[in-house]
Amino acid sequence: MTTQRSPMDDFEAKLQSLWGRAQAGDEAAYREALSCLAERLRSFLRRRMQSLPDELEDLVQETLLAIHLQRGTYDPTVPVSRWALAIARYKLIDLWRRRGRREALHEPFDDLAERDQPAVREEPMAQRDLTTLLAELPKAQQHAIALIKLEGLSIAEASQRTGISASALKVQVHRGIKRLAELVRRTG
């Protein structure tokens, strides 16, 4: 009797192979793995961000950046997609907190038990990588990302603190995260 593999099994097997090669230094495999993860993240986050569709791409890029910075924490015994989705969950919760959506924190994420979710910890190397990457951005983008994404200020709070319009800050953050994603792909 032949056992049928599900599309999810096939996806995870492909991703696991790509990630293993990427962790060993294969840049092409790293880019392809990030591309596969980006597609999965968009699907995962889109279902959870129906009330914030304009934030979707920013959060996908922010999650990919976090994956890049946290790649040293990856445990090969955990499926890559589970590890990446755990990071996405943290980023989504951070977004909801920044936006004051406390009630959204009680929405169910998945059937994945808390004990099955890998720990994601900040490492000094990741902080150094982030500092190096941020230094590549124009000052306005660095400042906007630091206030909104790192300090956790809302757009309105950052606008009030800096005197820059909310729409200008949104543009700076969006462009900065997009640029960071390009830098990560190149350095992969």
Side-chain angles (χ1 to χ4, degrees):
M1 184 171 196
T2 306
T3 305
Q4 286 285 77
R5 287 174 56 112
S6 74
M8 185 61 167
D9 291 338
D10 290 340
F11 172 82
E12 192 61 45
K14 175 185 175 187
L15 185 58
Q16 193 78 33
S17 171
L18 287 169
W19 194 255
R21 292 187 349 244
Q23 292 288 73
D26 182 336
E27 290 183 31
Y30 186 68
R31 282 190 300 276
E32 190 174 346
L34 287 180
S35 179
C36 288
L37 283 170
E39 186 177 316
R40 181 58 47 100
L41 290 169
R42 279 185 193 93
S43 173
F44 173 80
L45 293 169
R46 186 176 292 117
R47 290 190 307 262
R48 289 154 179 82
M49 296 179 63
Q50 292 178 2
S51 64
L52 301 169
D54 295 340
E55 302 279 344
L56 176 66
E57 195 57 34
D58 283 350
L59 194 57
V60 168
Q61 295 303 319
E62 186 177 334
T63 303
L64 287 173
L65 178 60
I67 287 169
H68 173 74
L69 295 173
Q70 299 291 335
R71 67 192 182 281
T73 69
Y74 173 69
D75 175 357
T77 63
V78 176
V80 177
S81 60
R82 183 183 298 170
W83 173 74
L85 292 177
I87 293 172
R89 280 184 202 92
Y90 290 117
K91 292 296 177 184
L92 183 59
I93 289 168
D94 287 345
L95 172 68
W96 283 335
R97 283 181 180 150
R98 283 193 307 267
R99 297 188 58 86
R101 297 238 358 247
R102 300 281 183 222
E103 75 280 1
L105 293 174
H106 301 290
E107 293 179 8
F109 285 114
D110 279 337
D111 296 329
L112 184 61
E114 186 70 30
R115 63 179 165 69
D116 293 333
Q117 296 181 20
V120 179
R121 61 186 184 279
E122 189 69 26
E123 294 184 345
M125 191 157 104
Q127 185 62 42
R128 188 186 72 231
D129 285 350
L130 179 59
T131 302
T132 302
L133 287 168
L134 283 173
E136 297 288 320
L137 298 179
K139 293 291 183 203
Q141 292 174 4
Q142 285 179 30
H143 192 62
I145 289 172
L147 291 173
I148 296 164
K149 300 296 183 183
L150 301 178
E151 289 184 32
L153 296 180
S154 69
I155 297 287
E157 291 168 332
S159 177
Q160 187 176 13
R161 183 185 288 186
T162 62
I164 299 171
S165 73
S167 59
L169 282 170
K170 285 181 187 179
V171 167
Q172 292 301 334
V173 169
H174 179 76
R175 288 179 181 166
I177 289 176
K178 188 174 178 180
R179 177 75 177 123
L180 286 172
E182 290 168 11
L183 291 168
V184 167
R185 280 190 207 100
R186 273 194 288 160
T187 61

